[in-house]
């Protein structure tokens, strides 16, 4: 086995072995934009939650290795019950998904039986199974607009995305009280100082950010939408208010632009925002998962079937 040139970097053999295992097992790797650059480089497809769900749905591979977090791999399994779906680290969760435990969510929707239940894809399969329709940050406005105007709506679990959709659509939404621990860590005070230092910069923000951040933003959208905006907008400098992993693809797509991660509250960590769950995946864990066919996503079939109905309603809207 060839040795590593720099400590911490995967060896060439490991990368070659992953490609070999992919061929042998007829596997594909799907990766979210928040994954580390080495994992993004290994992936057959990199995208936002909606594009990844669509890629999983199109896939004919026997094995889907999902380099993302648990709810994303579960989504791939909901759409592909016959295929093996692997997640390199089963502990890679999501604070939003965790904010809506199924029993509490059931009590909430039971208390509002006249409401249509719209759930953000960042939730468990059990919560999806209790929902009428799923949305992502790409299509949340479209999904809410698709619901007849006379129907009341529950929106869960992200209250900030929900409040944003409420502002854009003018619909009143009953919001579940969940947040993304990464996006609420972005500091509005530090951000204002940074905007003062870069008066020509455009602020782009993910809708999981709190309203005071979104109020300052020139563009609000999903990770894919933020990436597209950086490519097409004539500005030279962008302050990016979302998880810092997206900066890798942005730098590849727009190498001549200056990209500054929005600052986080914490002073002792890195200046940007990183999702600790997304960062649990490593190239070594990708290799091990492909080699052993584990950890695998396993779902109760009754839950999966009901979750698929809500998910397919969203997929039909695009
Ligand atoms: P996107 O669907 O915009 O990629 O968002 C996923 C996510 O988890 C944001 O925190
Ligand atoms: Fe969940 Fe936030 Fe991490 Fe996205 S960034 S996976 S919403 S904890």
């Amino acid at each position: 086995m060839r040795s590593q040139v720099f400590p911490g970097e995967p060896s060439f053999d490991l990368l070659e072995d992953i490609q070999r295992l992919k061929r042998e097992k007829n596997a594909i790797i799907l990766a979210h934009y928040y994954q580390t650059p080495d994992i993004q480089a290994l992936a057959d497809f990199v995208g936002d939650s909606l594009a990844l769900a669509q890629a999983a749905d199109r896939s004919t591979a026997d094995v889907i290795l999902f380099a993302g977090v648990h709810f994303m791999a579960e989504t791939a399994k909901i759409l592909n019950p016959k295929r093996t779906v692997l997640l390199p680290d089963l502990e890679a969760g999501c604070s939003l998904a965790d904010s809506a435990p199924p029993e509490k969510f059931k009590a909430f929707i039971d208390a509002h039986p006249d409401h249509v239940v719209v759930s953000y894809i960042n939730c468990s399969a059990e919560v999806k199974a209790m929902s009428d329709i799923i949305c992502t940050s790409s299509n949340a406005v479209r999904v809410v607009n698709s619901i007849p105007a006379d129907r009341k709506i529950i929106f869960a679990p992200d209250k900030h995305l929900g409040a944003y959709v409420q502002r854009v659509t003018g619909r009143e939404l009953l919001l579940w009280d969940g947040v993304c621990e990464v996006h609420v860590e972005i500091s509005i005070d530090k951000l204002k100082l940074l905007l003062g230092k870069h008066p020509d910069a455009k602020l782009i923000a993910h809708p999981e950010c709190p309203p005071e951040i979104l109020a300052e933003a020139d563009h609000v959208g999903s990770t894919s939408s933020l990436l597209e905006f950086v490519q097409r907008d004539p500005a030279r400098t962008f302050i990016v208010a979302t998880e810092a992993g997206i900066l890798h693809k942005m730098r590849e797509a727009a190498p001549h632009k200056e990209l500054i991660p929005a600052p986080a509250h914490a002073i002792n960590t890195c200046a940007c925002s990183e999702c600790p769950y997304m960062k649990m995946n490593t190239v070594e864990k990708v290799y091990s998962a492909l080699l052993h066919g584990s950890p695998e996503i396993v779902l109760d079939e009754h839950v999966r079937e009901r979750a698929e109905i809500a998910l397919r309603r969203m997929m039909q809207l695009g």
Side-chain angles (χ1 to χ4, degrees):
M1 174 137 176
R2 250 179 288 163
S3 60
Q4 288 163 262
V5 181
F6 298 106
E9 282 187 356
S11 74
F12 293 115
D13 283 0
L14 193 56
L15 302 180
E16 282 166 16
D17 286 347
I18 289 172
Q19 298 304 340
R20 176 181 54 74
L21 283 170
K22 270 172 57 183
R23 286 191 298 276
E24 283 173 11
K25 308 212 170 193
N26 187 25
I28 57 161
I29 299 180
L30 304 182
H32 188 264
Y33 288 125
Y34 295 164
Q35 293 295 290
T36 50
D38 50 2
I39 294 182
Q40 291 192 37
L42 281 173
D44 298 280
F45 183 83
V46 183
D48 69 0
S49 305
L50 178 63
L52 287 165
Q54 290 165 335
D57 195 33
R58 281 194 306 270
S59 174
T60 55
D62 293 322
V63 177
I64 298 173
L65 183 136
F66 213 112
V69 289
H70 197 270
F71 77 82
M72 296 179 172
E74 266 190 350
T75 301
K77 185 69 182 177
I78 291 165
L79 297 168
N80 290 282
K82 299 266 182 315
R83 303 184 204 285
T84 301
V85 177
L86 305 174
L87 181 66
D89 189 327
L90 280 185
E91 296 298 310
C94 166
S95 60
L96 268 172
D98 290 348
S99 79
E103 330 73 62
K104 284 196 180 158
F105 190 70
K106 183 171 181 331
F108 183 66
I109 62 172
D110 284 353
H112 303 94
D114 53 344
H115 285 59
V116 175
V117 181
V118 180
S119 291
Y120 186 34
I121 199 164
N122 298 36
C123 65
S124 65
E126 287 83 358
V127 167
K128 286 186 178 73
M130 287 183 243
S131 306
D132 293 301
I133 187 164
I134 306 304
C135 71
T136 75
S137 55
S138 292
N139 59 18
V141 167
R142 198 177 322 147
V143 166
V144 166
N145 277 333
S146 76
I147 297 166
D150 59 341
R151 298 299 307 272
K152 293 180 186 168
I153 301 173
I154 284 175
F155 189 96
D158 187 10
K159 70 173 180 186
H160 292 320
L161 173 64
Y164 169 74
V165 173
Q166 198 160 245
R167 286 194 295 280
V168 175
T169 62
R171 299 288 295 266
E172 201 182 313
L173 306 176
L174 182 57
L175 303 177
W176 181 267
D177 188 14
V179 294
C180 160
E181 66 181 42
V182 179
H183 287 83
V184 296
E185 259 309 295
I186 296 172
S187 159
I188 185 66
D189 295 336
K190 289 186 185 176
L191 188 58
K192 282 189 172 163
L193 286 174
L194 195 60
L195 285 165
K197 279 190 204 155
H198 299 272
D200 297 329
K202 288 210 170 148
L203 173 65
I204 58 174
H206 195 278
E208 287 173 17
C209 291
E212 63 273 18
I213 307 259
L214 298 183
E216 300 291 326
D218 297 285
H219 178 69
V220 175
S222 71
T223 50
S224 294
S225 169
L226 300 183
L227 177 61
E228 277 164 33
F229 189 80
V230 164
Q231 289 171 267
R232 82 175 132 83
D233 189 84
R236 287 207 40 79
T237 306
F238 298 85
I239 298 174
V240 184
T242 191
E243 212 269 0
I246 187 72
L247 293 173
H248 169 64
K249 265 282 175 290
M250 285 178 177
R251 287 190 181 114
E252 270 184 359
H256 50 290
K257 304 231 170 156
E258 186 187 9
L259 303 166
I260 307 171
H265 287 291
I267 40 170
N268 292 329
T269 59
C270 77
C272 58
S273 308
E274 289 212 323
C275 173
Y277 312 105
M278 286 279 181
K279 272 27 184 197
M280 281 181 182
N281 296 324
T282 61
V283 172
E284 286 75 11
K285 289 181 194 173
V286 168
Y287 169 74
S288 169
L290 281 174
L291 182 67
H292 301 293
S294 162
E296 185 182 353
I297 300 291
V298 180
L299 291 175
D300 174 272
E301 182 55 15
H302 184 56
V303 169
R304 190 206 65 76
E305 273 178 2
R306 284 185 302 155
E308 186 176 10
I309 295 170
L311 207 43
R312 294 262 173 226
R313 284 191 184 126
M314 172 192 84
M315 307 282 277
Q316 271 160 20
L317 286 177

